[in-house]
């Protein structure tokens, strides 16, 4: 499987652009700020339904526009399939396949499998938990699109609970103590219903993330040893908010214990007007040779861990989905020493399709059979063609 054409309309800095791609290694080459990352990010969003750079869709839409569109032609066994994603400024993204009817994202994500390695990935090890949750969510959605819907449900329930807690907090501030208006009594009953659903769906999400981390453990350990030496050890530890699921799985016992936890923190949640626990606060840690990587690992070790994590993601997706994902290497060569570049290129050489972005000619990979695309050049050609059509 490979992408033969990628087209975007009103996506970030791009008014409109069409890029033809080939199997093997493709290099998108152009100056800083030209929009290379925007292009590969568009592919990531088409594949996973989200971008690792932002948590909402609004920044993906070109300033001043109300929706963005990403289209890709995918070649598989002589067949071409066109995938199209519409990203509105507000509201849910929708997909279409071969100009068919509009699809919910749960029926669309994961159809094109891709793994994106970028300079931001160092933050997967040392940055805030948001990036690590995003990694888990993107990977799990590509393995099983029903995860995408589950994640949406949990996010929605957390938002509903948060709004009710804010309302209760406000009532308490106005009335003081434990006095409640009829409105806040109704909010209290609704909160109980939302909390029960939040626990049920949240436990399922927690278990899916736990399974994913367990599936990545073997590959990341092997790959890290290949990259850094056989005496090295890496352990991924899940730090879930609903930790009860680790011991008792998705069960009545777990639900009861989580419910009791919610009762204990109720006063605190109302006082602060926000959710204090739930999968939206989950995290995971990397333990490198017995020490937590965050805070202890060197810069080079963080990079190697991030790379090992991406390659483990690639291996798992390839194995579970029975085809190789498209590999995106976004501006990583500028950050890596010659040894690491060579390791990545050796890996890239064996894949169906790889898309690399580089800003400097000195970072162009020194390998045979590379399809170099001058992004400024195709942008000019496309603009001239569009102007001729409109004349
Ligand atoms: N929603 C948006 N609307 C319009 N322009 C945007 C939007 N989001 C980002 N941009 C612009 O996109 C440009 C950055 O593009 P991108 O990150 O793809 O560049 P790049 O070619 O990868 O650069 P570098 O080589 O420096 O990484 C910036 O000029 C930014 O202002």
């Amino acid at each position: 499987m490979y992408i033969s054409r990628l087209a975007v309309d009103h996506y970030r800095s791009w008014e409109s652009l069409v890029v033809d791609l080939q199997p093997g290694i493709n290099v998108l080459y152009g100056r800083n700020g030209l929009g290379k990352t925007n292009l590969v990010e568009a592919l990531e969003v088409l594949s996973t339904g989200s971008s690792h750079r932002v948590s909402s869709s609004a920044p993906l839409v070109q300033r001043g526009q109300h929706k963005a569109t990403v289209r890709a032609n995918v070649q598989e066994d002589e067949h071409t399939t066109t995938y199209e994603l519409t990203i509105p400024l507000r509201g849910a993204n929708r997909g279409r396949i071969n100009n068919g009817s509009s699809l919910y994202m749960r029926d669309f994500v994961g159809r094109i499998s891709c793994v994106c390695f970028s300079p931001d990935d160092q933050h997967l090890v040392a940055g805030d938990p948001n990036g690590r949750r995003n990694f888990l969510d993107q990977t799990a959605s590509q393995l099983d699109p029903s995860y995408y819907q589950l994640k949406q449900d949990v996010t929605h329930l957390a938002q509903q609970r948060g709004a009710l807690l804010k309302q209760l907090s406000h009532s308490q501030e106005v009335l003081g103590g434990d006095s409640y208006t009829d409105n806040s009594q109704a909010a209290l009953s609704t909160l109980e219903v939302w909390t029960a659903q939040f626990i049920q769906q949240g436990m399922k999400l927690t278990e899916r993330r736990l399974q994913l981390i367990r599936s990545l453990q073997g590959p990341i350990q092997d790959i890290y040893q290949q990259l850094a030496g056989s005496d090295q050890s890496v352990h991924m530890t899940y730090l879930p908010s609903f930790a009860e699921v680790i011991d008792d799985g998705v069960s009545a016992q777990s639900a009861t214990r989580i419910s009791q936890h919610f009762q204990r923190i109720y006063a605190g949640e109302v006082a602060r007007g926000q959710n204090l626990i739930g999968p939206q606060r989950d995290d995971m840690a990397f333990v490198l040779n017995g020490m937590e990587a965050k805070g202890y690992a060197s810069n080079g070790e963080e990079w190697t861990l991030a790379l090992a994590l991406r390659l483990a993601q690639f291996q798992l997706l390839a194995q579970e989905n029975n085809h190789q994902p498209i590999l995106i290497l976004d501006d990583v060569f500028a950050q890596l020493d010659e040894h690491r570049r060579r390791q990545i290129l050796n890996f890239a050489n064996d894949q169906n399709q790889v898309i690399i972005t580089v800003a400097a000619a000195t970072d162009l990979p020194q390998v045979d059979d590379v399809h170099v695309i001058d992004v400024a050049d195709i942008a000019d050609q496309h603009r001239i063609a569009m102007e001729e059509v409109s004349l």
Side-chain angles (χ1 to χ4, degrees):
M1 183 183 104
Y2 71 95
I3 294 182
S4 54
R5 173 167 282 188
L6 176 68
V8 292
D9 287 310
H10 305 306
Y11 189 91
R12 287 211 191 246
S13 55
W14 294 107
E15 170 85 25
S16 166
L17 191 73
V18 176
V19 185
D20 287 321
L21 300 162
Q22 292 186 1
I25 299 181
N26 297 263
V27 177
L28 297 176
Y29 169 63
R31 62 173 164 75
N32 290 120
L34 185 63
K36 306 176 298 295
T37 297
N38 295 345
L39 283 175
V40 288
E41 179 196 41
L43 185 51
E44 180 192 8
V45 178
L46 185 70
S47 161
T48 66
S50 64
S51 159
H52 72 278
R53 296 205 285 178
V54 284
S55 53
S56 76
S57 293
L60 309 180
V61 179
Q62 190 180 29
R63 209 168 309 134
Q65 297 294 328
H66 63 279
K67 66 169 187 183
T69 312
V70 183
R71 248 172 267 108
N73 285 351
V74 175
Q75 300 294 134
E76 200 167 13
D77 304 331
E78 310 290 307
H79 292 291
T80 307
T81 310
T82 303
Y83 294 90
E84 179 182 296
L85 177 69
T86 306
I87 307 164
L89 205 51
R90 275 176 220 89
N93 297 351
R94 298 296 287 253
R96 279 202 312 167
I97 301 172
N98 287 337
N99 282 328
S101 51
S102 172
L103 298 171
Y104 290 113
M105 290 309 286
R106 62 169 181 255
D107 300 319
F108 189 77
V109 290
R111 303 258 187 163
I112 304 170
S113 182
C114 94
V115 166
C116 178
F117 185 46
S118 81
D120 303 338
D121 280 350
Q122 193 174 3
H123 302 305
L124 284 174
V125 179
D128 66 44
N130 206 23
R132 287 183 284 278
R133 283 193 294 272
N134 193 275
F135 169 83
L136 293 175
D137 293 338
Q138 281 195 335
T139 312
S141 297
Q142 289 198 76
L143 286 169
D144 178 359
S146 73
Y147 179 95
Y148 185 88
Q149 187 60 45
L150 180 61
K151 168 69 182 27
Q152 298 282 93
D153 292 346
V154 172
T155 304
H156 181 67
L157 288 163
Q159 283 164 351
Q160 301 285 354
R161 276 196 95 247
L164 280 171
L165 288 165
K166 201 174 258 177
Q167 190 180 327
L168 286 163
S169 172
H170 181 68
S171 305
Q172 208 173 53
E173 271 172 32
V174 173
L175 299 172
D178 292 329
S179 325
Y180 286 110
T181 61
D182 285 351
N183 272 354
S184 54
Q185 285 295 354
L188 209 55
S189 315
T190 314
L191 182 68
E192 268 179 44
V193 177
W194 288 130
T195 304
Q197 288 184 23
F198 189 47
I199 293 172
Q200 282 308 319
Q201 297 301 85
M203 284 193 305
K204 288 186 207 160
L205 194 79
T206 305
E207 195 184 47
R208 302 280 283 274
R209 285 176 173 171
L210 180 63
Q211 283 168 355
L212 173 60
I213 289 173
R214 285 180 177 155
S215 307
L216 286 166
Q217 175 58 43
I220 197 174
Q221 168 70 50
D222 290 348
I223 294 165
Y224 193 86
Q225 286 191 342
Q226 284 164 30
L227 293 172
S230 55
D231 55 338
Q232 302 286 310
S233 81
V234 179
H235 197 79
M236 287 173 73
T237 318
Y238 185 27
L239 307 168
S241 182
F242 291 173
E244 293 80 358
V245 174
I246 292 186
D247 297 331
D248 293 326
V250 178
S251 64
Q253 294 97 294
S254 297
T256 306
R257 285 172 58 205
I258 298 167
S259 176
Q260 288 163 350
H261 192 171
F262 270 112
Q263 283 160 24
R264 285 197 298 278
I265 61 169
Y266 171 73
E269 284 197 306
V270 171
R272 294 171 66 176
Q274 63 182 54
N275 294 291
L276 292 184
I277 57 171
Q280 73 285 2
R281 303 176 85 98
D282 282 0
D283 198 0
M284 66 172 168
F286 299 92
V287 179
L288 187 58
N289 302 320
M291 279 187 292
E292 190 176 341
K294 188 176 176 174
Y296 285 95
S298 71
N299 194 41
E301 285 170 334
E302 282 176 8
W303 263 109
T304 309
L305 253 179
L307 178 57
L309 184 66
R310 283 297 177 199
L311 297 180
Q313 178 192 27
F314 188 98
Q315 194 170 311
L316 187 66
L317 288 174
Q319 183 187 310
E320 298 293 314
N321 294 344
N322 266 331
H323 58 78
Q324 281 182 358
I326 290 150
L327 181 65
I328 297 170
L329 302 172
D330 181 20
D331 205 18
V332 290
F333 286 92
Q335 320 266 342
L336 299 176
D337 62 25
E338 199 43 48
H339 179 61
R340 288 275 178 277
R341 284 184 186 198
R342 189 51 41 209
Q343 282 176 318
I344 296 193
L345 281 172
N346 286 344
F347 179 80
N349 258 330
D350 293 336
Q351 310 314 325
N352 279 347
Q353 190 173 41
V354 184
I355 304 170
I356 300 174
T357 71
V358 295
T362 47
D363 291 330
L364 280 170
Q366 302 301 308
V367 282
D368 299 335
D369 292 334
V370 177
H371 176 49
V372 179
I373 301 160
D374 184 330
V375 179
D377 201 33
I378 52 159
D380 280 347
Q381 285 173 23
H382 186 71
R383 188 175 41 75
I384 292 164
M386 297 302 281
E387 281 168 4
E388 281 172 0
V389 168
S390 65
L391 277 177

